[in-house]
Amino acid sequence: MDSLTESEIAQIVRHQRDAGVQRLSGHFSWPEFCDERRCCHQEFVYDVAMFAAARGFPWLNVIQTAVIAKGIFPQLDVLDVPKLLSLLRDALSECLPNLTSVHRHEFTRFLIHTCFSWVRLFQAAVGGAANTSIAQLHLEVQLPPYTLSSSTGHRAA
């Protein structure tokens, strides 16, 4: 993690998503998971860091958000609101004590939403979504053909 500098995170932000995930992931070790959860873990860390960068956090804080996300993800085994809030509170006070109140609020809100989304996805993917039904709707809109009349500029059907 020491190799993740402010200039390096600034470069990662400029990459396309897949390349950015790959480059950011190279700065951490990933012993927590050895299956498809590792990719989810890496994408989660990337998403959190990119959120912080997009909100204008200082580069050092963007790095710290990645560290927080890396530490929180393995603990998202159950959808437990009090546990999640406690984890976030501890992580924010320990890793980002100088974050502005606006950034703290935005980051906490984003993390809560993102954590719950990942937990649900994670539970469905790993926990066996065989009993889960997904309704998918397809909407197709068809418009009647028309041409522009060359003399009047109006549409003619």
Side-chain angles (χ1 to χ4, degrees):
M1 207 312 276
D2 293 335
S3 64
L4 188 54
T5 63
E6 293 180 38
S7 61
E8 175 64 7
I9 196 72
Q11 289 297 317
I12 292 169
V13 168
R14 291 181 183 94
H15 281 74
Q16 294 293 323
R17 179 179 174 77
D18 290 342
V21 169
Q22 198 72 345
R23 190 163 175 177
L24 180 60
S25 296
H27 291 279
F28 294 96
S29 66
W30 301 93
E32 298 86 357
F33 304 109
C34 59
D35 54 14
E36 65 274 354
R37 293 176 289 180
R38 180 176 288 166
C39 289
C40 293
H41 193 181
Q42 292 169 339
E43 289 177 5
F44 177 79
V45 171
Y46 176 82
D47 289 345
V48 170
M50 293 310 102
F51 171 83
R55 291 298 187 275
F57 285 31
W59 292 122
L60 192 56
N61 287 349
V62 174
I63 293 168
Q64 289 295 11
T65 62
V67 171
I68 290 170
K70 171 114 174 37
I72 287 176
F73 188 87
Q75 300 178 53
L76 296 178
D77 52 351
V78 293
L79 199 57
D80 182 355
V81 176
K83 177 183 172 186
L84 177 59
L85 292 176
S86 176
L87 283 170
L88 292 178
R89 183 175 46 252
D90 294 347
L92 286 172
S93 63
E94 182 180 322
C95 297
L96 295 168
N98 299 326
L99 204 60
T100 68
S101 59
V102 171
H103 281 161
R104 181 179 300 274
H105 175 73
E106 287 179 340
F107 185 61
T108 303
R109 187 174 164 162
F110 172 79
L111 262 183
I112 290 171
H113 173 74
T114 304
C115 287
F116 284 122
S117 297
W118 273 102
V119 167
R120 288 186 195 117
L121 177 64
F122 195 53
Q123 288 173 340
V126 177
N131 296 330
T132 305
S133 64
I134 298 173
Q136 184 175 1
L137 301 176
H138 178 76
L139 176 63
E140 187 175 315
V141 177
Q142 295 182 352
L143 299 173
Y146 68 91
T147 59
L148 289 177
S149 173
S150 58
S151 62
T152 62
H154 293 89
R155 289 199 295 183

